[in-house]
Amino acid sequence: MQIAAEAVKRMENNPRLSEQIRSAIAQSGIQEFQQRLKHPAAHFVIGALEDWQKTQNI
């Protein structure tokens, strides 16, 4: 969960990164994005991204 919280924090503080992630999600969907994140914490990060999407109206 700490990794997911840090990922969201970095996205919120970096507009360029935020836009890149929004674009990647818009193009391929959240599930495809999860498959590209080949990391054990990807599940938590995806959950945080889904919540982030809702608050950002993506």
Side-chain angles (χ1 to χ4, degrees):
M1 289 304 295
Q2 289 176 335
I3 292 170
E6 181 64 26
V8 170
K9 180 180 168 186
R10 288 184 185 210
M11 288 183 292
E12 290 175 341
N13 292 325
N14 186 335
R16 186 167 189 270
L17 176 62
S18 177
E19 185 55 39
Q20 289 175 330
I21 290 172
R22 286 180 188 178
S23 177
I25 291 170
Q27 289 178 2
S28 62
I30 197 85
Q31 296 304 322
E32 179 68 25
F33 191 73
Q34 181 176 9
Q35 291 177 354
R36 292 181 186 188
L37 288 178
K38 297 182 190 298
H39 191 278
H43 177 73
F44 296 109
V45 173
I46 294 302
L49 282 173
E50 289 173 329
D51 288 341
W52 179 73
Q53 273 185 301
K54 291 174 189 171
T55 62
Q56 299 294 314
N57 295 319
I58 297 175

